[in-house]
Amino acid sequence: MAVGQLPVQVREFARYLSELLGRLDQSAGWCGVFWQRDPDGMRACLEGAEVPPWDVVQALLHDLAADRGVPEAEREADTARALHRASVAAYDARPGGRELLGDRLDMMLTEQRIALERQADLTRQLGTAADPDDIERINLDLAWVRDDHDRATARCAEIQERMDRLADAQRPSWVDLGTATPDDGLHAPRQDPAPTAEDLYGAAPQPQSQPQPHPEPRPEPVSDAVRELIKLRGEGRSGEAHGVLVEAAGWPAELLPAFAAELHRAGLAADWATLLWEAASLPPDRLVALADALAGTGRADDCRKLLRQGVARPAPEIAEAIVALLDAGREREARALLDSYLRVRTPEDVARCAHTDPHRLIPLLLEAARGVSEEHHWDLVHALRVAGFSA
């Protein structure tokens, strides 16, 4: 898109970003890292062709604090946040914005997985390294890989929030995604205040749970797993901690909402995000059961994230799963999976599902698309016709 065709909010943020970089030593700090690792991406952001993730803007504010002092960075944070939010809203509202966000979420989930695998590999190497130079090198690599994982996780969350804002106001009919929040209070709607100095430099206090007068007893596997994770994280045994999370992802669905609450209370929210990613590969019936359990305990955001990650599979696999659920008499689960797929995939992706069993799937696809919105319905009708089906 030519610069003159860019939304005014995107142009305004691009100008602001250029001015911010002009006040920094661009060869040093995080700015230098970004220019070294992704020069094309930096140029695209300065030209307005892309809007940088918020974690990148925060890192640049870190640099500003180092170069010009914390008070100046604090003053700048409010302006940066407001301009960034307006810019991404305008950028996402362009034609094809929903599809682009879905593609980027897939890419970030892949980067998150690669970082986890690399972290586990380096942790194993560190356990056998004896030479001090090797130990120093591996620790440095681990620091960078952890940063990669943290950024990928933050970007997944940011993209999911953008997709939620962009999505049609109609909620799925199969589950209540209301505004109830879990007892730990950590999923209350955020007001997105400007970052303070503590927010910028990692010292912000963590939200505290409200004491409950009659807490329900926690299942023993939940307490045991949380204690084990605290121990493993404290000893830097990330690979083994990941193994605990993989095992927990296969627990009965009713145990996992309590596990989520305990992980957040223990300061292990990142481990819960990892578990959701692992659980997204569960068989479709178990995936929907877990989504039900999360929504039923007030974890609507987690329910959305799980389903959005769970349908990041090839169209034939989704179609086969839906047919298998129908054959097993589990129509509600089949419709839930289909509804989630429709909301995050392109009409062309959805139309590819029809090849598996056109007679059974096309009516379901069209009905589900109409339940999302008329725009989804007509986009799917067109995609089916292009794919050679009579809709």
Side-chain angles (χ1 to χ4, degrees):
M1 181 181 291
V3 173
Q5 297 175 306
L6 291 171
V8 62
Q9 297 93 335
V10 176
R11 294 201 305 271
E12 185 177 5
F13 184 77
R15 284 196 297 270
Y16 170 80
L17 185 65
S18 179
E19 292 169 0
L20 176 61
L21 262 62
R23 295 151 66 186
L24 303 176
D25 179 355
Q26 296 187 38
S27 63
W30 283 110
C31 189
V33 171
F34 295 145
W35 274 117
Q36 182 180 16
R37 299 183 76 179
D38 188 12
D40 292 340
M42 288 289 285
R43 280 189 287 270
C45 293
L46 290 171
E47 293 167 0
E50 299 283 351
V51 180
W54 176 244
D55 69 274
V56 171
V57 183
Q58 281 187 307
L60 295 175
L61 291 172
H62 276 269
D63 288 352
L64 184 65
D67 289 355
R68 303 292 187 95
V70 171
E72 183 168 344
E74 284 185 322
R75 289 192 299 270
E76 204 65 41
D78 192 13
T79 300
R81 169 59 91 178
L83 290 175
H84 185 266
R85 287 183 65 85
S87 181
V88 296
Y91 188 87
D92 295 343
R94 301 174 308 156
R98 177 167 59 91
E99 292 80 4
L100 180 60
L101 285 172
D103 290 343
R104 289 186 174 174
L105 181 59
D106 289 346
M107 182 177 68
M108 284 298 109
L109 288 169
T110 299
E111 290 192 10
Q112 188 183 46
R113 174 181 57 79
I114 291 171
L116 277 173
E117 292 172 352
R118 178 67 175 147
Q119 186 173 333
D121 179 56
L122 287 169
T123 301
R124 286 191 293 270
Q125 292 182 36
L126 189 62
T128 59
D131 184 80
D133 290 339
D134 287 341
I135 293 173
E136 182 179 358
R137 174 185 56 80
I138 294 170
N139 277 321
L140 180 60
D141 288 346
L142 265 173
W144 280 113
V145 168
R146 286 171 181 147
D147 181 74
D148 288 342
H149 178 262
D150 290 346
R151 290 190 185 280
T153 301
R155 291 172 191 182
C156 285
E158 180 180 344
I159 293 169
Q160 287 163 347
E161 289 176 4
R162 288 164 67 176
M163 292 177 76
D164 287 343
R165 289 196 295 267
L166 198 60
D168 187 87
Q170 291 177 295
R171 64 174 175 81
S173 59
W174 64 276
V175 68
D176 180 10
L177 293 179
T179 58
T181 55
D183 287 344
D184 61 7
L186 292 172
H187 282 65
R190 297 185 304 166
Q191 299 301 316
D192 283 317
T196 63
E198 290 178 330
D199 292 322
L200 287 171
Y201 311 113
Q206 296 297 313
Q208 297 297 313
S209 308
Q210 295 299 319
Q212 299 298 313
H214 300 291
E216 294 184 6
R218 295 185 293 274
E220 199 61 34
V222 169
S223 300
D224 290 347
V226 172
R227 284 195 293 268
E228 181 69 7
L229 284 167
I230 291 171
K231 177 176 180 291
L232 293 172
R233 291 301 186 196
E235 296 172 355
R237 294 155 65 186
S238 300
E240 293 171 69
H242 186 243
V244 173
L245 296 171
V246 171
E247 180 181 354
W251 287 353
E254 61 269 17
L255 291 180
L256 289 174
F259 193 41
E262 288 304 301
L263 287 174
H264 281 87
R265 289 189 183 105
L268 298 174
D271 280 341
W272 174 245
T274 299
L275 186 144
L276 280 180
W277 183 86
E278 292 290 345
S281 61
L282 288 170
D285 56 340
R286 295 176 61 195
L287 179 78
V288 174
L290 177 54
D292 277 342
L294 292 171
T297 53
R299 292 190 171 272
D301 287 345
D302 287 339
C303 175
R304 292 188 187 96
K305 291 173 185 175
L306 175 68
L307 288 172
R308 190 167 290 124
Q309 294 174 14
V311 296
R313 313 179 188 201
E317 185 177 335
I318 291 290
E320 290 167 6
I322 291 169
V323 170
L325 288 169
L326 292 172
D327 288 343
R330 309 188 69 168
E331 184 174 343
R332 191 192 70 83
E333 288 88 345
R335 290 180 179 275
L337 189 66
L338 185 54
D339 181 278
S340 298
Y341 192 70
L342 276 158
R343 290 173 183 272
V344 300
R345 307 300 294 193
T346 67
E348 293 74 20
D349 286 336
V350 178
R352 291 187 191 103
C353 290
H355 289 282
T356 300
D357 191 339
H359 179 71
R360 299 175 72 187
L361 290 177
I362 287 178
L364 275 177
L365 292 169
L366 291 171
E367 181 185 349
R370 186 178 283 110
V372 175
S373 72
E374 281 299 315
E375 180 185 1
H376 277 75
H377 176 253
W378 288 113
D379 286 348
L380 179 56
V381 168
H382 176 71
L384 286 168
R385 287 174 177 162
V386 171
F389 299 105
S390 174

